[in-house]
Amino acid sequence: MGGTQSLALQQGKGPHQVGCTDVMVGHTWQGLLLRLFYPCLPQGGAEQPLWIPRYEYCAGLANLTLLSCSAPLISLALGSCRVPVSWNGPFKPCSTGYPLIIFSHGLGAFRTLYSSVCLELASWGFVVAALEHRDHSASATYFCTAEDGREEWIPYQQVPQGQKEFYFRKKQGSIDLSRVTVMGHSFGGVTAVLALVKEPRFSAGHPSCCRCAVALDAWMFPLENALYPEVTKPVLFINSEKFQTPESIAKMKRLSSRNSQTKIITILGSVHHSHTDFTFLTGKLFSLIFGARGTLDPYKGLEITSQAALAFLQKHLNLQEEFAQWDNLLEGIGDSVVPEAPFCHPNL
C-alpha cells in the first residue's frame, strides 16, 4: 500500500493550546454544521478527535476520486488518524474576546480537511469556524431532522451534463457570515471574496468589524466580472505554484489594482492540495491519489501560509500582537515565496 498511511499533523506553534468541537445549528439542509477550533485550557489525557469523523466521508472522497470501490481502503488506512487538539476541551477565557475566522472548504472537501491551518491559527489566539457546506459542494455532509433525529446525508454533486460549470458553481457556496474575517481554499477561496460583496455585514460602511478575506489558491473562475468593482475590502491571495493560470492571476491583479492593501503571493514548490491536510499524509499511495505533495516541505508551507495570514490579519483587524514580524511575506519576500506568480515575476 506504498507504506503505512498516517496523518502527521503537528500541534500549533502559538502560545495557546487548542480545543475543538462540532456545532450543528438547524434541522434542515439550510442549517449549519461546523468544526470550531479555539484556545483552550490545558487538559491532561484529553481525547483527540478523528480526522475523518464518519465512514460516509470516506465514501464521499472515494466517489470524488472516481474510485468508489476504494472507500473501505480509505477508511482502513485513514479512519484512525486523529487531530492533535483537545476534543471538547475547556474554553480559555479572554477578557477582550478572540477574533473570529470563518473558513470555507474547497469543492469535494469537508469541515475537517483543513485542520492543520485551522488549529495553527487557533493556537495564535483565534476562534476558527470551519464550515461544512450543505449545497452539494462538500464530498458529503448531513443534518439531523427535528422530528426523530434521523440523519439526512447530502452527497457531492458533479456538474450535470449539459450545464455550463460557471453557472452551476456560482450558485453554490453561499454562507451566512457574522463578523471579523472569512478565509477559504480553492472554491472556498473565491467564496471568501464573494462574501465581502454578498454578506451585508461585510459591505463597505457597515458598522461591523468584518474587514478582509484570506484566499488560499482561490479558484477565480466563478467570480462574475460585474462583481469586481464591488470588492472594496482587502484580500490576501496565497497561491500555490502549480495551480494558478495567467488568467486567474490577472483577475486577482484586477482586485489589487483597486485596493493597494490587497496582496498576491505564491509559495514555491507547492501544489493545490498543499493547503489541505492531505499534504501531511506520510504514505505514498494516498499522496499520489490526491495529488497532495509538492517539492516544498509541507511544514514549511504551513508556516508561510499561517505567518502571512497572521501578518495580514494584524493589519486589518487592528490586533495588538507581534505578527508584524512577518510583514515581509505579504510583499512576497522570503524563502520559498514570491510576489504574484512565477510567470509574472521578472526575476524568475
Side-chain angles (χ1 to χ4, degrees):
M1 207 168 30
T4 301
Q5 305 288 325
S6 62
L7 185 69
L9 297 187
Q10 61 183 9
Q11 293 184 339
K13 292 186 176 180
H16 302 280
Q17 293 196 24
V18 178
C20 84
T21 191
D22 283 340
V23 178
M24 183 179 290
V25 179
H27 297 283
T28 71
W29 65 271
Q30 294 176 311
L32 276 178
L33 175 59
L34 59 89
R35 176 155 288 189
L36 200 66
F37 296 82
Y38 54 88
C40 78
L41 297 172
Q43 186 181 35
E47 178 187 359
Q48 295 184 342
L50 290 171
W51 179 52
I52 300 179
R54 300 281 295 273
Y55 177 82
E56 287 84 354
Y57 293 104
C58 296
L61 289 174
N63 289 331
L64 190 68
T65 59
L66 303 180
L67 298 171
S68 57
C69 62
S70 66
L73 176 61
I74 294 175
S75 179
L76 178 64
L78 303 176
S80 62
C81 293
R82 294 185 179 271
V83 181
V85 294
S86 177
W87 181 244
N88 290 327
F91 190 82
K92 184 177 182 179
C94 176
S95 59
T96 58
Y98 298 110
L100 174 66
I101 297 171
I102 301 172
F103 195 99
S104 178
H105 63 71
L107 283 176
F110 46 92
R111 69 188 186 281
T112 69
L113 293 190
Y114 299 89
S115 294
S116 52
V117 67
C118 291
L119 74 87
E120 178 64 26
L121 293 172
S123 78
W124 289 98
F126 290 80
V127 171
V128 184
L131 304 182
E132 188 166 285
H133 299 302
R134 290 172 171 169
D135 56 4
H136 297 282
S137 64
S139 62
T141 188
Y142 69 100
F143 62 91
C144 296
T145 60
E147 295 80 13
D148 56 8
R150 181 171 52 89
E151 294 176 357
E152 293 279 352
W153 280 85
I154 303 170
Y156 176 77
Q157 187 174 356
Q158 301 282 357
V159 178
Q161 187 174 2
Q163 287 196 28
K164 292 186 178 296
E165 186 170 31
F166 175 84
Y167 296 105
F168 181 74
R169 292 303 183 200
K170 80 184 187 73
K171 294 185 295 185
Q172 295 177 304
S174 58
I175 48 180
D176 184 16
L177 306 169
S178 57
R179 63 186 183 96
V180 182
T181 192
V182 66
M183 184 174 183
H185 172 245
S186 192
F187 188 56
V190 80
T191 300
V193 177
L194 284 169
L196 297 179
V197 176
K198 291 191 172 184
E199 170 54 48
R201 284 161 290 185
F202 270 45
S203 62
H206 194 277
S208 169
C209 60
C210 306
R211 297 172 185 170
C212 58
V214 179
L216 307 180
D217 227 7
W219 184 43
M220 297 296 288
F221 177 70
L223 186 61
E224 297 176 81
N225 288 333
L227 290 177
Y228 282 88
E230 299 183 44
V231 182
T232 59
K233 298 294 182 70
V235 181
L236 172 60
F237 292 100
I238 305 178
N239 297 326
S240 71
E241 184 179 5
K242 300 297 185 182
F243 178 73
Q244 297 295 339
T245 63
E247 293 77 15
S248 184
I249 295 296
K251 292 184 176 183
M252 296 177 189
K253 291 179 71 175
R254 185 174 174 184
L255 293 180
S256 66
S257 69
R258 297 182 55 82
N259 189 326
S260 62
Q261 296 302 309
T262 288
K263 303 295 183 180
I264 310 167
I265 63 173
T266 294
I267 301 177
L268 299 177
S270 61
V271 297
H272 193 50
H273 283 302
S274 294
H275 291 296
T276 75
D277 295 343
F278 289 128
T279 194
F280 295 99
L281 293 174
T282 60
K284 295 181 179 179
L285 176 61
F286 286 102
S287 292
L288 290 173
I289 290 175
F290 295 110
R293 280 289 178 95
T295 58
L296 182 67
D297 177 78
Y299 299 103
K300 177 65 174 179
L302 174 62
E303 180 180 85
I304 294 172
T305 297
S306 58
Q307 290 178 354
L310 290 169
F312 183 76
L313 294 177
Q314 170 145 316
K315 284 179 177 295
H316 300 292
L317 303 181
N318 294 328
L319 304 178
Q320 303 301 314
E321 303 290 346
E322 298 181 356
F323 304 152
Q325 62 182 302
W326 300 308
D327 279 353
N328 61 317
L329 292 174
L330 301 180
E331 307 302 327
I333 300 172
D335 183 30
S336 301
V337 62
V338 296
E340 296 182 1
F343 41 76
C344 301
H345 193 251
N347 297 325
L348 292 178

